[in-house]
Amino acid sequence: MIKYSKKELIKGIKNSERVLLSRAITLAESQKEEHRKYIHGIIEKLLPDTGKSLRIGITGVPGVGKSTFIESFGAYLISLGHKVAVLTIDPSSKQSGGSILGDKTRMPQLALNDNAYIRPSPAGISLGGVAGKTREAMLLCEAAGYNIILVETVGVGQSETAVSEMVDAFLLLMLSGAGDELQGIKKGIMESADIIAINKCDGDNIKKSKEAQMEYKRAVQMFPRKFENWVTEVLTVSALENMGMEEIWQKILKFESLSKKFNHFERNRSGQLINWFETELHFLLNHHLMKTKGIQDKVKTMKSKISKGEISSFRAADIIFYEFLSKVS
Ligand code: GDP
């Protein structure tokens, strides 16, 4: 049973009522087909109210200062009159769905602010699934009037790629004095960053941070450019001491404006829409394939035959596929 009618949810979200927004996101995160369909109907109706925010991805290894940064940066953005939603992608999240305790304690000040909305990663869903749910949460937050969406990822490899595929600008937080390998950042992630901020540039760490800044500035010259007129910016900040927030915002705005001027923004968003469509289509195909009577058992049998060398993997896939076709046609 769904407690709220579609009309109530739509009206509530448009009025920026947090309880209803949270309720809608919970429905979007649900594994139940009935809930998925319900929320898709709502998102369709809300589509004209979506897409107007600036979507910013934030990544960096655990301990780099992401939550401290989001506290400071979020507060700064709100002081400028913005409404900020923070969504987290964490494929390893064990929190129970919908509980915001985890992120409330990570960002205690922001969590209390009326102009901020914080939503942690849905629990117990594969990364592909998490990215899809976060995308829907993002659209719902936009419809609720949040004009800046910060999508945070805990750096665990693939989740950064998932985030970079759903945002307009991608910010990578780094530390000075640790090699890239130590920071667990893959070259590809560095290359997909539009802005690199070296955090913890305070106290004894200022000199080292400035040196790291020079080093990264040299390194980014070699990166392929997303569009001709943009070379990855490298800054130093101190999330703890609230330093560098204005500078980082100015760089993001500069990126947004150039990205729009040179059509990168539009191209990126429409590429993302196509990508989301394909992901959804793959999900649906796989979902229905595995739900088709007898297929799951057959897949298991095939896996065992493949590992024993009794059948080739492509022949096994063919058999499953044609059996599926015969059952649905
Ligand atoms: P996260 O795991 O990336 O979210 O990192 P946190 O925000 O939890 O920060 C990890 C630790 O680094 C905490 O003890 C913070 O207080 C500290 N920290 C974060 N930002 C800064 C900073 O700018 N300067 C200093 N000195 N410490 C910081």
Side-chain angles (χ1 to χ4, degrees):
M1 252 298 281
I2 297 168
K3 194 170 151 198
Y4 297 97
S5 72
K6 279 191 185 169
K7 230 175 160 177
E8 272 175 306
L9 277 176
I10 290 171
K11 190 163 166 257
I13 291 167
K14 283 189 175 189
N15 284 337
S16 205
E17 287 174 37
R18 281 154 182 279
V19 174
L20 292 177
L21 173 62
S22 294
R23 189 69 207 130
I25 297 179
T26 304
L27 284 173
E29 289 169 354
S30 167
Q31 307 273 31
K32 287 193 184 149
E33 199 153 328
E34 173 204 3
H35 292 170
R36 278 171 45 81
K37 285 202 171 131
Y38 200 80
I39 202 65
H40 285 169
I42 288 170
I43 292 177
E44 282 227 295
K45 287 265 183 336
L46 289 170
L47 271 186
D49 301 298
T50 66
K52 291 167 197 147
S53 77
L54 183 62
R55 304 163 177 172
I56 305 167
I58 298 175
T59 196
V61 292
V64 71
K66 291 181 297 301
S67 44
T68 314
F69 176 81
I70 292 172
E71 274 268 76
S72 296
F73 191 53
Y76 172 73
L77 294 174
I78 289 168
S79 78
L80 298 180
H82 297 292
K83 282 187 72 161
V84 180
V86 182
L87 307 173
T88 309
I89 292 202
D90 174 4
S92 63
S93 170
K94 297 276 188 303
Q95 294 156 25
S96 63
S99 151
I100 55 165
L101 218 69
D103 286 36
K104 264 196 169 157
T105 47
R106 286 183 68 219
M107 299 159 199
Q109 294 304 318
L110 208 57
L112 292 175
N113 199 305
D114 281 345
N115 290 312
Y117 179 81
I118 301 178
R119 181 83 181 187
S121 193
I125 306 175
S126 69
L127 173 63
V130 171
K133 312 275 176 202
T134 306
R135 211 175 63 210
E136 283 164 13
M138 183 163 83
L139 297 176
L140 290 164
C141 287
E142 288 178 344
Y146 292 90
N147 69 328
I148 296 178
I149 316 279
L150 304 178
V151 187
E152 177 202 12
T153 170
V154 300
V156 288
Q158 289 171 327
S159 58
E160 295 98 335
T161 314
V163 172
S164 73
E165 282 166 5
M166 68 171 82
V167 295
D168 305 314
F170 195 44
L171 170 67
L172 172 64
L173 294 181
M174 298 286 276
L175 294 172
S176 65
D180 299 344
E181 313 79 42
L182 260 182
Q183 299 198 23
I185 297 291
K186 291 201 194 92
K187 189 162 165 272
I189 304 295
M190 279 190 63
E191 287 182 355
S192 63
D194 302 304
I195 296 167
I196 294 176
I198 297 154
N199 190 31
K200 308 197 186 183
C201 179
D202 46 47
D204 292 346
N205 216 15
I206 295 180
K207 189 165 169 278
K208 269 200 307 190
S209 303
K210 296 284 177 197
E211 283 166 8
Q213 181 185 22
M214 296 314 289
E215 226 171 275
Y216 282 120
K217 273 193 168 178
R218 269 194 298 273
V220 297
Q221 297 296 330
M222 315 298 278
F223 290 178
R225 302 200 179 168
K226 281 200 194 162
F227 58 99
E228 214 181 304
N229 309 69
W230 188 260
V231 179
T232 310
E233 290 275 2
V234 185
L235 311 172
T236 54
V237 296
S238 167
L240 197 66
E241 295 187 356
N242 239 320
M243 297 263 301
M245 298 304 127
E246 184 181 350
E247 197 188 352
I248 223 160
W249 180 231
Q250 288 308 321
K251 297 292 183 204
I252 292 174
L253 287 179
K254 183 178 157 200
F255 177 78
E256 183 194 18
S257 128
L258 284 176
S259 161
K260 282 184 171 161
K261 187 171 166 197
F262 293 100
N263 284 329
H264 174 262
F265 191 93
E266 272 304 305
R267 248 185 290 129
N268 188 41
R269 279 218 176 167
S270 69
Q272 288 171 345
L273 286 176
I274 300 290
N275 192 304
W276 296 353
F277 158 71
E278 287 175 350
T279 308
E280 191 67 18
L281 194 57
H282 284 151
F283 168 80
L284 285 174
L285 283 173
N286 193 45
H287 182 70
H288 286 283
L289 172 79
M290 296 314 273
K291 253 183 44 183
T292 305
K293 201 166 175 287
I295 291 279
Q296 236 179 61
D297 286 343
K298 197 123 195 190
V299 166
K300 259 193 217 146
T301 314
M302 287 299 167
K303 280 184 182 168
S304 135
K305 284 189 173 182
I306 293 167
S307 53
K308 286 186 207 145
E310 291 172 11
I311 192 168
S312 69
S313 43
F314 39 89
R315 173 109 181 90
D318 261 3
I319 291 173
I320 298 287
F321 178 67
Y322 286 106
E323 179 150 340
F324 171 62
L325 272 192
S326 73
K327 288 193 174 179
V328 292
S329 54

